[in-house]
Amino acid sequence: MADGDDVNGLRKVLVTFKSCLTDNQEVLMDPYLEGWKGLVRFLNTMGAMFSFISKDAVAKIQIMENFRSGEQKENYITLQSMVGYELSNSLVDFTQPYSCPTSGCRTILRLHRALHWLQLFLEGLRTSDADSRTSVLCTDSYNASLANYHPWIIRKAASMAFYTLPTRDTFLKNMNVGTNEEAVAMLGEALPHISQVYEVTESLYAQHKLLDLP
Ligand code: 1PX
């Protein structure tokens, strides 16, 4: 399938993560948010049970877009410039209760943790058998990542939503990237780029001790 055929499909969305990394390994904010917006569009096709997840993701994307269109927009071009700017201006709360408005650093951390879930889920989808259950793949990847940061009530609501996911076959079809084999091949192409963005962000946050921001 030619790239040009993929108008609404996930190929374009996942490939967006490829354009996040600059030559000197910085993560560009705009394609990062664009990638998330595409994922949210896909999530919105999966039914009302997922709308609480979608709303939270949209709210976080919106916070970051506000930074990108505000007075300090130049400082939010990359994740690296954001971290440098917010830390040197004491804009990041390391403890609760918060004394500063919501920082970009803590907002991106939430999306970054969700990117880890995405990485695990897509890898599960890519490598699983045709008769695997998407709900199980999703639950396993969630429990191994995001669930560790969520309270019981969110975990419960998320697992109920996962239960409504379609079969692996239908899920791959819904991705709108051709046959299931083509969808699986596309995941294999896109995943290394998502992993790279994840790893670069993880080491940036570790270096600045930002991985536990409340
Ligand atoms: C080919 C597959 C594509 C699938 C696309 C799916 C896109 C999913 C987008 C999920 C974005 C989730 C962001 C969650 C951020 C978060 O952890 N927020 C919590 C903490 O924020 P706070 O500001 O309070 O510190 C917040 O409490 C979360 C609330 C909503 C529940 C989040 C559950 C996340 C489950 C992720 C799995 C999505 C399942 C999609 C099914 C395929």
Side-chain angles (χ1 to χ4, degrees), residues 24 33 38 62 77 84 100 110 148 158 166 170 174 194 200 202 206-207:
N24 27 330
L33 298 178
Q62 188 61 59
I77 291 177
C100 310
R110 271 53 187 180
N148 296 308
T170 307
N174 290 350
I194 295 173
V200 170
E202 180 76 5
Q207 185 191 338

Side-chain angles (χ1 to χ4, degrees), residues 39-95:
L39 290 170
V40 167
R41 279 197 298 277
F42 183 76
L43 186 65
N44 286 341
T45 66
M46 284 194 281
M49 290 290 279
F50 291 89
S51 63
F52 77 107
I53 301 175
S54 164
K55 275 191 191 132
D56 187 69
V58 167
K60 286 175 169 56
I61 294 165
Q62 188 61 59
I63 291 171
M64 296 316 303
E65 289 195 323
N66 290 345
F67 284 126
R68 277 297 291 135
S69 59
E71 269 180 27
Q72 296 298 330
K73 59 178 179 240
E74 300 298 319
N75 288 312
Y76 288 85
I77 291 177
T78 66
L79 300 196
Q80 285 74 6
S81 63
M82 170 191 77
V83 167
Y85 166 72
E86 289 195 343
L87 286 180
S88 54
N89 289 281
S90 305
L91 296 171
V92 182
D93 272 310
F94 284 84
T95 52

Side-chain angles (χ1 to χ4, degrees), residues 10 13-14 35-36 38-44 46 50-58 60-61 63 96 98 102 106-107 109-115 117-118 121-122 125 134 138-139 141-142 145-147 149-151 153-155 157-159 161-162 165-166 171-172 174-175 186-187 213-214:
L10 263 188
V13 171
L14 295 181
W36 276 110
L39 290 170
V40 167
R41 279 197 298 277
F42 183 76
L43 186 65
N44 286 341
M46 284 194 281
F50 291 89
S51 63
F52 77 107
I53 301 175
S54 164
K55 275 191 191 132
D56 187 69
V58 167
K60 286 175 169 56
I61 294 165
I63 291 171
Q96 276 176 316
Y98 303 125
T102 305
R106 71 94 60 196
T107 305
L109 177 62
R110 271 53 187 180
L111 293 177
H112 170 65
R113 289 169 177 165
L115 198 65
W117 161 80
L118 182 74
F121 177 62
L122 296 184
L125 204 56
T134 322
C138 193
T139 305
S141 47
Y142 175 72
S145 57
L146 266 182
Y149 306 99
H150 290 163
I153 186 76
I154 298 278
R155 294 201 306 268
S159 56
F162 300 159
L165 284 172
F171 195 94
L172 289 172
N174 290 350
M175 284 167 54
M186 183 279 285
L187 291 178
L213 288 181

